[in-house]
Amino acid sequence: MREQERILAGELAGGWSFAVILAAFVVAARRRFDRHVDRRMVTRFAWRFVLKAPGGDRFQVRDVDATLRVFMGDEYLSDALTDVFGEITYAVLFALADDLELTDQQVVQLVAEAEAEIVGTMADGRETDRSILGDGRYRRIHRPYLAEKHWLPARPDDRRPPRTPKPPAGRRAPTSLAGRYVLSLLLHRGAVQGVSSDDVPNGDLLRVMRTSFAVAAPLYLHPDPDVREIDALVATTRKTLLLSLDPMKAAYLVRLAVGERVPLDGITSEDVYLACSLMWSVIAERWDRDEAVISDIIAEAEAGIEANGYRLTPGA
C-alpha cells in the first residue's frame, strides 16, 4: 500500500492516527509561522524542504506551500490542495520539528498533546515511537531549514488598496498581431474585435500576454507587495471570472511578476496564459479599461520581447 494510503487509513505504528498527525502538523506549523511572520517565509521553507529533506523531492514546492498555508488558516487556498496533502503533512511534520529545534522526545510530546486535543485526555506513559521520528523515507535532519537572520516579519494587517497608474505622457499602441489581440481582449471584456485568434501565433500570444501582465501587475500592486495583497487579486479573479483557477499557481505568477523568486515546477504554458489573461482582465476592469494606459503597457511589453531577440508577427 502506498505511504499516503497507509497514513490516511490510520495505520501508523503505535496507534497514532492520521487525525492526530494532522493536528500535530497544524500546531507545529502555526507555532513556526505565526501571524507575525511574512507568508513568503512559508514558501522559502517549502522550497528548502523539497530540496533538502529526505523524501522531500517527491513533492512540488507549491503543494507543500499550499498545505502549510491552508492549515495555518488561509482556507481560501483549499482548492489548491492535492491528493497527496496527507503524505505532505506527515513528511513536513519532521521538518517543522527541525526548524523549531525540538528534541525527539519533544516531538512525541507534541503529537501526544495533539492527540489530547482530539480525544480530550492526555496520552500518559507512551514511549517514544520511532515511526513518529521517521520511517526511513521521511526523517529528521536535526538542523533548521531557515536561518533566523533571513526572517521576514509580517506586514501590518491593513491591506493597501490597488493602485491606478497615471495616463502615459505619450501615446503608444501595440504593433504586433498578438498585441492588438490582447488589447482588444482587455478592452472588450473578452469579446475580441478586429483580430482573429486563428491569425495570431500561439507563441506570440503567450509572450505578449505574460509579459504585458508582468508590466501591469507591479503598477496595480504596491512596491514589495504583501502576499495577502497578491492573494486578494487572485481571489477577485476567481470570484468574478473563474472559480476553478488554481489559486497557488496564479499567486506564484503574480509573485514572479513583481520580482520575487518562486519555483514554477508544474505550471504549464496553458496555466500561464489562463491565469495571466484572467488577472489582467481584473486589473483592466479596475482601471476602467483605460485604453491609453493598457495600450502603453502592451507596447512596452512588445518592446521588451523584441529587445530579447524574439520577433513578433506584425499587425496588418
Side-chain angles (χ1 to χ4, degrees):
M1 182 181 290
R2 292 176 55 211
E3 178 69 12
Q4 176 195 355
E5 294 168 345
R6 183 176 73 84
I7 295 168
L8 293 175
E11 296 176 0
L12 287 171
W16 300 102
S17 69
F18 173 68
V20 172
I21 294 298
L22 179 59
F25 168 83
V26 172
V27 171
R30 293 183 178 181
R31 186 180 300 177
R32 189 65 182 112
F33 304 105
D34 63 21
R35 62 186 181 87
H36 301 295
V37 176
D38 192 297
R39 289 293 193 259
R40 288 175 288 184
M41 296 305 300
V42 181
T43 306
R44 293 182 187 181
F45 173 83
W47 205 341
R48 292 179 184 177
F49 165 80
V50 169
L51 291 174
K52 297 182 178 181
D57 59 359
R58 292 169 55 84
F59 309 112
Q60 290 188 345
V61 175
R62 188 181 65 255
D63 295 338
V64 176
D65 194 358
T67 302
L68 281 161
R69 290 190 56 195
V70 167
F71 289 104
M72 286 164 52
D74 294 346
E75 296 179 359
Y76 54 86
L77 297 173
S78 59
D79 285 346
L81 290 178
T82 66
D83 60 0
V84 296
F85 87 88
E87 194 170 356
I88 288 173
T89 60
Y90 179 60
V92 174
L93 178 57
F94 303 135
L96 289 168
D98 285 332
D99 231 49
L100 290 166
E101 300 185 77
L102 302 180
T103 65
D104 286 348
Q105 190 57 48
Q106 286 173 325
V107 176
V108 174
Q109 181 65 19
L110 174 70
V111 177
E113 290 172 1
E115 183 180 49
E117 290 185 7
I118 294 174
V119 302
T121 58
M122 180 66 74
D124 295 324
R126 187 186 296 273
E127 296 295 326
T128 298
D129 181 349
R130 300 310 301 181
S131 72
I132 295 302
L133 306 180
D135 67 350
R137 175 178 297 170
Y138 309 119
R139 60 184 184 277
R140 303 190 60 182
I141 62 173
H142 293 282
R143 59 181 181 275
Y145 288 81
L146 296 174
E148 292 293 340
K149 65 180 180 179
H150 298 143
W151 207 247
L152 294 175
R155 296 182 183 278
D157 289 337
D158 294 337
R159 296 179 189 174
R160 297 167 293 184
R163 301 188 298 165
T164 299
K166 296 179 180 179
R171 177 80 179 191
R172 291 190 295 178
T175 58
S176 70
L177 271 177
R180 290 176 52 204
Y181 182 91
V182 171
L183 176 62
S184 183
L185 181 80
L186 296 172
L187 294 182
H188 302 107
R189 294 181 171 86
V192 177
Q193 300 176 9
V195 185
S196 171
S197 60
D198 294 336
D199 296 331
V200 183
N202 289 336
D204 287 16
L205 185 55
L206 175 62
R207 283 175 170 83
V208 172
M209 184 65 76
R210 179 185 63 201
T211 308
S212 61
F213 173 75
V215 176
L219 298 174
Y220 175 83
L221 297 163
H222 289 264
D224 192 23
D226 187 89
V227 171
R228 292 167 298 179
E229 293 170 348
I230 292 171
D231 288 343
L233 169 59
V234 175
T236 299
T237 304
R238 297 182 75 235
K239 180 179 179 181
T240 59
L241 296 177
L242 186 65
L243 188 59
S244 62
L245 179 68
D246 187 299
M248 288 298 288
K249 288 182 179 180
Y252 271 33
L253 290 168
V254 182
R255 291 166 70 177
L256 181 70
V258 298
E260 187 179 346
R261 183 169 171 259
V262 291
L264 299 179
D265 298 352
I267 299 179
T268 66
S269 295
E270 289 77 13
D271 293 328
V272 172
Y273 183 81
L274 177 65
C276 290
S277 63
L278 292 175
M279 290 188 291
W280 211 158
S281 294
V282 167
I283 292 173
E285 185 71 35
R286 173 78 184 195
W287 292 346
D288 294 326
R289 303 191 181 276
D290 188 316
E291 183 173 356
V293 170
I294 297 171
S295 290
D296 192 71
I297 288 173
I298 296 172
E300 181 177 339
E302 288 178 332
I305 292 168
E306 298 209 342
N308 286 324
Y310 184 88
R311 178 69 174 171
L312 293 167
T313 303

